[in-house]
Amino acid sequence: MRASVHRLGMAHPGDLSQLAALFDSGVVDPRHVVAVIGKTEGNGGVNDFTRGYFTLAFSALLAERTGRRRGEIVESVPCVLSGGTEGVLTPHYLVFSRDPAADGPAGGPKRLAVGVAFSPPVPPEAVGRQTHVEMVAAAVGQAMRDAGISDPADVHFVQVKAPCVTAARAQEAAARGASVLTADSGRSMAYARVAGAFGVALALGDAPAGRLTEAAMFRDYDIFSDRASISSGVEVACNEVIVLGNAAGWSGDLAIAHRPMKDALDIGGIVAALDDLGLAAAPQLVPAAAARVRGVLVKCEPDRRGLVRGNRHTMLDDTDINAQRHIRGALGGLVAGVLGDGRIFVSGGAEHQGPDGGGLIAVIAEI
């Protein structure tokens, strides 16, 4: 197969006009669209309904163009949105499509491979617990098979959208005699992210299975996957998984590379990821090189120790601005400065996703 990636802008969270234009021109076959990852200008919190707004508009457009039921699309095409476009970040979305008729040459170089999977619905009482970890790991394995990736080393980025516990879901569980880990939706989102990170680490072998336990969550930060990007929200009931890697048998001119970011100032990690794809930032990509970039995916976390390279930061102590909004704005500016482009997927909440106090960056580009 051949994977294609289109990075599109939006005038508002329900604006799919650029994608509709690609359908109209024949550049993208709507039947080949398999996943979407994007940024909206919502607050990124529990009550960020811009994510659901985009998903509704996207599924309606795809249903119109393919003749499929909207519900069928919602259940088969992962649509992962992250709210928060602070600073120079630009609202945008990446559309991933696969052409099944474009076979790669036998023994050819590895090219971008895309696989998707959906877990069964996650019961509210399972969110953030060991069962959740195992459900994510199983879905990641399924997405790898969908991408034709057998070697975990060929995986460079795993995006998971996991459900969280709402008040209604907590009450539903209680009515069945079950108890949730936490009824606080914000805290539930954090636990869901950690369960997702542990599930990715389990599937890819980034940590021994015996260490990926509930007891290690939010405690043993030496356990992490620098290929896991986990979001959580009220708009999903199961784990939606997108696996991106490089694999033989795929054609085209796209590849993906990733690097861990050790902290919020790790410009070297950004440069190294670009260098892996033959892109030199000195100090910023020249326009011709920047034009080869199809997508940039970043996960970040305010350092919980309150320091960045030995100097105090106040992100965790600001009553007026949430810490995740601080870090998205900061990392967005750092990465955009190197790329010369604000169309960057920057998602906060990186617990056990990359080094503690840091995160990860993945870049998709023409090679």
Side-chain angles (χ1 to χ4, degrees), residues 240-276:
E240 301 184 4
V241 177
I242 305 168
V243 164
L244 303 177
N246 299 315
W250 289 71
S251 61
D253 58 357
L254 298 180
I256 183 171
H258 82 281
R259 290 292 183 123
M261 293 186 67
K262 64 184 180 182
D263 58 31
L265 300 177
D266 188 11
I267 198 169
I270 304 167
V271 172
L274 293 169
D275 188 61
D276 290 341

mmCIF file of all heavy atoms in Angstrom, residues 240-276:
data_model
loop_
_atom_site.group_PDB
_atom_site.id
_atom_site.type_symbol
_atom_site.label_atom_id
_atom_site.label_comp_id
_atom_site.label_asym_id
_atom_site.label_seq_id
_atom_site.Cartn_x
_atom_site.Cartn_y
_atom_site.Cartn_z
ATOM 1 N N GLU A 240 -9.124 4.349 20.837
ATOM 2 C CA GLU A 240 -8.861 4.477 19.403
ATOM 3 C C GLU A 240 -7.349 4.565 19.218
ATOM 4 O O GLU A 240 -6.693 5.387 19.864
ATOM 5 C CB GLU A 240 -9.546 5.713 18.835
ATOM 6 C CG GLU A 240 -11.056 5.723 19.024
ATOM 7 C CD GLU A 240 -11.734 6.913 18.367
ATOM 8 O OE1 GLU A 240 -11.031 7.709 17.697
ATOM 9 O OE2 GLU A 240 -12.956 7.041 18.522
ATOM 10 N N VAL A 241 -6.795 3.723 18.350
ATOM 11 C CA VAL A 241 -5.342 3.605 18.224
ATOM 12 C C VAL A 241 -4.907 3.836 16.779
ATOM 13 O O VAL A 241 -5.498 3.289 15.845
ATOM 14 C CB VAL A 241 -4.863 2.212 18.685
ATOM 15 C CG1 VAL A 241 -3.349 2.073 18.482
ATOM 16 C CG2 VAL A 241 -5.230 1.980 20.151
ATOM 17 N N ILE A 242 -3.868 4.657 16.626
ATOM 18 C CA ILE A 242 -3.231 4.881 15.328
ATOM 19 C C ILE A 242 -1.748 4.576 15.491
ATOM 20 O O ILE A 242 -1.077 5.188 16.322
ATOM 21 C CB ILE A 242 -3.399 6.335 14.841
ATOM 22 C CG1 ILE A 242 -4.882 6.729 14.803
ATOM 23 C CG2 ILE A 242 -2.758 6.525 13.470
ATOM 24 C CD1 ILE A 242 -5.102 8.224 14.610
ATOM 25 N N VAL A 243 -1.232 3.629 14.723
ATOM 26 C CA VAL A 243 0.191 3.270 14.738
ATOM 27 C C VAL A 243 0.840 3.804 13.477
ATOM 28 O O VAL A 243 0.364 3.562 12.358
ATOM 29 C CB VAL A 243 0.368 1.745 14.826
ATOM 30 C CG1 VAL A 243 1.800 1.348 14.459
ATOM 31 C CG2 VAL A 243 0.047 1.250 16.232
ATOM 32 N N LEU A 244 1.939 4.543 13.651
ATOM 33 C CA LEU A 244 2.719 5.070 12.527
ATOM 34 C C LEU A 244 4.126 4.512 12.606
ATOM 35 O O LEU A 244 4.766 4.570 13.665
ATOM 36 C CB LEU A 244 2.768 6.597 12.575
ATOM 37 C CG LEU A 244 1.426 7.332 12.583
ATOM 38 C CD1 LEU A 244 1.658 8.834 12.700
ATOM 39 C CD2 LEU A 244 0.621 7.022 11.333
ATOM 40 N N GLY A 245 4.607 3.963 11.505
ATOM 41 C CA GLY A 245 5.958 3.414 11.473
ATOM 42 C C GLY A 245 6.471 3.373 10.046
ATOM 43 O O GLY A 245 5.865 3.953 9.135
ATOM 44 N N ASN A 246 7.576 2.728 9.864
ATOM 45 C CA ASN A 246 8.150 2.512 8.532
ATOM 46 C C ASN A 246 8.219 1.015 8.290
ATOM 47 O O ASN A 246 8.703 0.272 9.147
ATOM 48 C CB ASN A 246 9.550 3.122 8.431
ATOM 49 C CG ASN A 246 9.549 4.629 8.657
ATOM 50 O OD1 ASN A 246 8.713 5.343 8.121
ATOM 51 N ND2 ASN A 246 10.483 5.111 9.461
ATOM 52 N N ALA A 247 7.717 0.572 7.138
ATOM 53 C CA ALA A 247 7.668 -0.865 6.881
ATOM 54 C C ALA A 247 7.925 -1.165 5.417
ATOM 55 O O ALA A 247 7.639 -0.349 4.529
ATOM 56 C CB ALA A 247 6.315 -1.435 7.303
ATOM 57 N N ALA A 248 8.471 -2.346 5.170
ATOM 58 C CA ALA A 248 8.645 -2.828 3.803
ATOM 59 C C ALA A 248 7.275 -3.157 3.220
ATOM 60 O O ALA A 248 6.325 -3.430 3.957
ATOM 61 C CB ALA A 248 9.545 -4.062 3.799
ATOM 62 N N GLY A 249 7.176 -3.121 1.921
ATOM 63 C CA GLY A 249 5.909 -3.421 1.273
ATOM 64 C C GLY A 249 5.033 -2.206 1.068
ATOM 65 O O GLY A 249 3.980 -2.297 0.445
ATOM 66 N N TRP A 250 5.451 -1.061 1.617
ATOM 67 C CA TRP A 250 4.739 0.189 1.413
ATOM 68 C C TRP A 250 5.515 1.037 0.408
ATOM 69 O O TRP A 250 6.748 1.040 0.413
ATOM 70 C CB TRP A 250 4.591 0.956 2.721
ATOM 71 C CG TRP A 250 3.615 0.330 3.674
ATOM 72 C CD1 TRP A 250 3.787 -0.822 4.373
ATOM 73 C CD2 TRP A 250 2.324 0.805 4.007
ATOM 74 N NE1 TRP A 250 2.689 -1.092 5.142
ATOM 75 C CE2 TRP A 250 1.759 -0.111 4.946
ATOM 76 C CE3 TRP A 250 1.573 1.921 3.627
ATOM 77 C CZ2 TRP A 250 0.493 0.066 5.482
ATOM 78 C CZ3 TRP A 250 0.313 2.104 4.179
ATOM 79 C CH2 TRP A 250 -0.220 1.180 5.084
ATOM 80 N N SER A 251 4.809 1.735 -0.451
ATOM 81 C CA SER A 251 5.464 2.580 -1.447
ATOM 82 C C SER A 251 5.262 4.048 -1.093
ATOM 83 O O SER A 251 4.721 4.380 -0.042
ATOM 84 C CB SER A 251 4.889 2.285 -2.837
ATOM 85 O OG SER A 251 3.505 2.567 -2.869
ATOM 86 N N GLY A 252 5.693 4.911 -1.971
ATOM 87 C CA GLY A 252 5.585 6.339 -1.722
ATOM 88 C C GLY A 252 6.903 6.940 -1.298
ATOM 89 O O GLY A 252 7.950 6.279 -1.295
ATOM 90 N N ASP A 253 6.863 8.216 -0.918
ATOM 91 C CA ASP A 253 8.089 8.946 -0.577
ATOM 92 C C ASP A 253 8.063 9.490 0.836
ATOM 93 O O ASP A 253 8.786 10.427 1.164
ATOM 94 C CB ASP A 253 8.308 10.086 -1.570
ATOM 95 C CG ASP A 253 7.135 11.064 -1.618
ATOM 96 O OD1 ASP A 253 6.123 10.835 -0.913
ATOM 97 O OD2 ASP A 253 7.217 12.057 -2.366
ATOM 98 N N LEU A 254 7.222 8.908 1.713
ATOM 99 C CA LEU A 254 7.108 9.404 3.081
ATOM 100 C C LEU A 254 7.738 8.441 4.083
ATOM 101 O O LEU A 254 7.705 7.225 3.908
ATOM 102 C CB LEU A 254 5.641 9.606 3.458
ATOM 103 C CG LEU A 254 4.836 10.618 2.642
ATOM 104 C CD1 LEU A 254 3.409 10.691 3.159
ATOM 105 C CD2 LEU A 254 5.487 11.992 2.666
ATOM 106 N N ALA A 255 8.302 9.010 5.140
ATOM 107 C CA ALA A 255 8.855 8.228 6.251
ATOM 108 C C ALA A 255 8.636 9.019 7.532
ATOM 109 O O ALA A 255 8.357 10.222 7.506
ATOM 110 C CB ALA A 255 10.330 7.934 6.043
ATOM 111 N N ILE A 256 8.763 8.327 8.646
ATOM 112 C CA ILE A 256 8.594 8.962 9.946
ATOM 113 C C ILE A 256 9.804 8.675 10.826
ATOM 114 O O ILE A 256 10.410 7.604 10.729
ATOM 115 C CB ILE A 256 7.296 8.467 10.633
ATOM 116 C CG1 ILE A 256 7.083 9.190 11.976
ATOM 117 C CG2 ILE A 256 7.301 6.951 10.824
ATOM 118 C CD1 ILE A 256 5.718 8.924 12.604
ATOM 119 N N ALA A 257 10.179 9.642 11.644
ATOM 120 C CA ALA A 257 11.260 9.482 12.628
ATOM 121 C C ALA A 257 10.786 10.075 13.946
ATOM 122 O O ALA A 257 9.918 10.953 13.974
ATOM 123 C CB ALA A 257 12.530 10.179 12.157
ATOM 124 N N HIS A 258 11.355 9.577 15.043
ATOM 125 C CA HIS A 258 10.977 10.119 16.339
ATOM 126 C C HIS A 258 12.214 10.226 17.226
ATOM 127 O O HIS A 258 13.208 9.529 17.014
ATOM 128 C CB HIS A 258 9.931 9.232 17.027
ATOM 129 C CG HIS A 258 10.525 8.053 17.732
ATOM 130 N ND1 HIS A 258 10.932 6.911 17.064
ATOM 131 C CD2 HIS A 258 10.811 7.835 19.050
ATOM 132 C CE1 HIS A 258 11.428 6.048 17.933
ATOM 133 N NE2 HIS A 258 11.370 6.576 19.144
ATOM 134 N N ARG A 259 12.135 11.078 18.219
ATOM 135 C CA ARG A 259 13.176 11.216 19.241
ATOM 136 C C ARG A 259 12.520 11.592 20.570
ATOM 137 O O ARG A 259 11.507 12.299 20.583
ATOM 138 C CB ARG A 259 14.185 12.304 18.865
ATOM 139 C CG ARG A 259 15.108 11.964 17.698
ATOM 140 C CD ARG A 259 16.087 10.863 18.046
ATOM 141 N NE ARG A 259 17.015 10.577 16.944
ATOM 142 C CZ ARG A 259 18.325 10.639 17.053
ATOM 143 N NH1 ARG A 259 18.886 10.974 18.220
ATOM 144 N NH2 ARG A 259 19.095 10.360 16.012
ATOM 145 N N PRO A 260 13.091 11.164 21.686
ATOM 146 C CA PRO A 260 12.616 11.659 22.975
ATOM 147 C C PRO A 260 13.057 13.100 23.163
ATOM 148 O O PRO A 260 14.066 13.532 22.591
ATOM 149 C CB PRO A 260 13.301 10.731 23.982
ATOM 150 C CG PRO A 260 14.541 10.277 23.280
ATOM 151 C CD PRO A 260 14.178 10.185 21.825
ATOM 152 N N MET A 261 12.306 13.855 23.935
ATOM 153 C CA MET A 261 12.716 15.197 24.344
ATOM 154 C C MET A 261 12.918 15.150 25.849
ATOM 155 O O MET A 261 11.989 14.840 26.597
ATOM 156 C CB MET A 261 11.667 16.236 23.956
ATOM 157 C CG MET A 261 11.519 16.417 22.451
ATOM 158 S SD MET A 261 10.388 17.769 22.005
ATOM 159 C CE MET A 261 11.326 19.203 22.585
ATOM 160 N N LYS A 262 14.131 15.423 26.293
ATOM 161 C CA LYS A 262 14.468 15.234 27.705
ATOM 162 C C LYS A 262 13.863 16.296 28.603
ATOM 163 O O LYS A 262 13.681 16.076 29.805
ATOM 164 C CB LYS A 262 15.977 15.176 27.893
ATOM 165 C CG LYS A 262 16.709 16.459 27.522
ATOM 166 C CD LYS A 262 18.224 16.285 27.644
ATOM 167 C CE LYS A 262 18.963 17.570 27.283
ATOM 168 N NZ LYS A 262 20.433 17.391 27.360
ATOM 169 N N ASP A 263 13.554 17.475 28.031
ATOM 170 C CA ASP A 263 12.902 18.526 28.811
ATOM 171 C C ASP A 263 12.295 19.531 27.855
ATOM 172 O O ASP A 263 12.346 19.361 26.630
ATOM 173 C CB ASP A 263 13.875 19.189 29.797
ATOM 174 C CG ASP A 263 15.097 19.815 29.131
ATOM 175 O OD1 ASP A 263 14.983 20.287 27.979
ATOM 176 O OD2 ASP A 263 16.175 19.838 29.759
ATOM 177 N N ALA A 264 11.718 20.591 28.418
ATOM 178 C CA ALA A 264 11.001 21.571 27.609
ATOM 179 C C ALA A 264 11.906 22.470 26.790
ATOM 180 O O ALA A 264 11.418 23.289 26.005
ATOM 181 C CB ALA A 264 10.112 22.425 28.514
ATOM 182 N N LEU A 265 13.217 22.337 26.963
ATOM 183 C CA LEU A 265 14.169 23.158 26.207
ATOM 184 C C LEU A 265 15.028 22.323 25.263
ATOM 185 O O LEU A 265 16.027 22.816 24.742
ATOM 186 C CB LEU A 265 15.078 23.930 27.177
ATOM 187 C CG LEU A 265 14.375 24.895 28.134
ATOM 188 C CD1 LEU A 265 15.390 25.520 29.089
ATOM 189 C CD2 LEU A 265 13.631 25.986 27.367
ATOM 190 N N ASP A 266 14.633 21.073 25.038
ATOM 191 C CA ASP A 266 15.472 20.149 24.282
ATOM 192 C C ASP A 266 15.349 20.372 22.776
ATOM 193 O O ASP A 266 14.768 19.573 22.046
ATOM 194 C CB ASP A 266 15.104 18.709 24.631
ATOM 195 C CG ASP A 266 16.086 17.710 24.020
ATOM 196 O OD1 ASP A 266 17.144 18.151 23.511
ATOM 197 O OD2 ASP A 266 15.785 16.502 24.048
ATOM 198 N N ILE A 267 15.939 21.455 22.316
ATOM 199 C CA ILE A 267 15.940 21.750 20.887
ATOM 200 C C ILE A 267 16.771 20.720 20.118
ATOM 201 O O ILE A 267 16.523 20.442 18.950
ATOM 202 C CB ILE A 267 16.453 23.186 20.632
ATOM 203 C CG1 ILE A 267 16.048 23.663 19.232
ATOM 204 C CG2 ILE A 267 17.957 23.290 20.842
ATOM 205 C CD1 ILE A 267 16.300 25.149 19.025
ATOM 206 N N GLY A 268 17.725 20.094 20.814
ATOM 207 C CA GLY A 268 18.546 19.064 20.172
ATOM 208 C C GLY A 268 17.728 17.861 19.757
ATOM 209 O O GLY A 268 17.999 17.239 18.714
ATOM 210 N N GLY A 269 16.707 17.495 20.550
ATOM 211 C CA GLY A 269 15.846 16.382 20.177
ATOM 212 C C GLY A 269 15.064 16.676 18.912
ATOM 213 O O GLY A 269 14.858 15.787 18.070
ATOM 214 N N ILE A 270 14.635 17.913 18.768
ATOM 215 C CA ILE A 270 13.911 18.325 17.562
ATOM 216 C C ILE A 270 14.824 18.228 16.342
ATOM 217 O O ILE A 270 14.462 17.646 15.304
ATOM 218 C CB ILE A 270 13.399 19.770 17.714
ATOM 219 C CG1 ILE A 270 12.542 19.920 18.967
ATOM 220 C CG2 ILE A 270 12.628 20.208 16.477
ATOM 221 C CD1 ILE A 270 12.265 21.356 19.363
ATOM 222 N N VAL A 271 16.016 18.768 16.470
ATOM 223 C CA VAL A 271 16.977 18.769 15.359
ATOM 224 C C VAL A 271 17.357 17.344 14.983
ATOM 225 O O VAL A 271 17.482 17.014 13.795
ATOM 226 C CB VAL A 271 18.218 19.601 15.738
ATOM 227 C CG1 VAL A 271 19.312 19.455 14.684
ATOM 228 C CG2 VAL A 271 17.845 21.074 15.920
ATOM 229 N N ALA A 272 17.513 16.468 15.982
ATOM 230 C CA ALA A 272 17.898 15.088 15.702
ATOM 231 C C ALA A 272 16.811 14.348 14.939
ATOM 232 O O ALA A 272 17.101 13.572 14.018
ATOM 233 C CB ALA A 272 18.204 14.360 17.016
ATOM 234 N N ALA A 273 15.551 14.560 15.288
ATOM 235 C CA ALA A 273 14.454 13.917 14.570
ATOM 236 C C ALA A 273 14.420 14.373 13.116
ATOM 237 O O ALA A 273 14.195 13.567 12.196
ATOM 238 C CB ALA A 273 13.125 14.215 15.256
ATOM 239 N N LEU A 274 14.659 15.651 12.885
ATOM 240 C CA LEU A 274 14.707 16.160 11.514
ATOM 241 C C LEU A 274 15.886 15.583 10.754
ATOM 242 O O LEU A 274 15.776 15.196 9.587
ATOM 243 C CB LEU A 274 14.784 17.691 11.535
ATOM 244 C CG LEU A 274 13.548 18.425 12.064
ATOM 245 C CD1 LEU A 274 13.858 19.892 12.270
ATOM 246 C CD2 LEU A 274 12.377 18.247 11.110
ATOM 247 N N ASP A 275 17.021 15.500 11.442
ATOM 248 C CA ASP A 275 18.233 14.969 10.806
ATOM 249 C C ASP A 275 18.045 13.522 10.368
ATOM 250 O O ASP A 275 18.576 13.101 9.335
ATOM 251 C CB ASP A 275 19.414 15.081 11.774
ATOM 252 C CG ASP A 275 20.734 14.725 11.118
ATOM 253 O OD1 ASP A 275 21.114 15.405 10.147
ATOM 254 O OD2 ASP A 275 21.378 13.756 11.559
ATOM 255 N N ASP A 276 17.273 12.755 11.130
ATOM 256 C CA ASP A 276 17.007 11.363 10.766
ATOM 257 C C ASP A 276 16.298 11.256 9.419
ATOM 258 O O ASP A 276 16.347 10.207 8.768
ATOM 259 C CB ASP A 276 16.148 10.682 11.842
ATOM 260 C CG ASP A 276 16.913 10.456 13.133
ATOM 261 O OD1 ASP A 276 18.160 10.485 13.105
ATOM 262 O OD2 ASP A 276 16.255 10.244 14.172
#
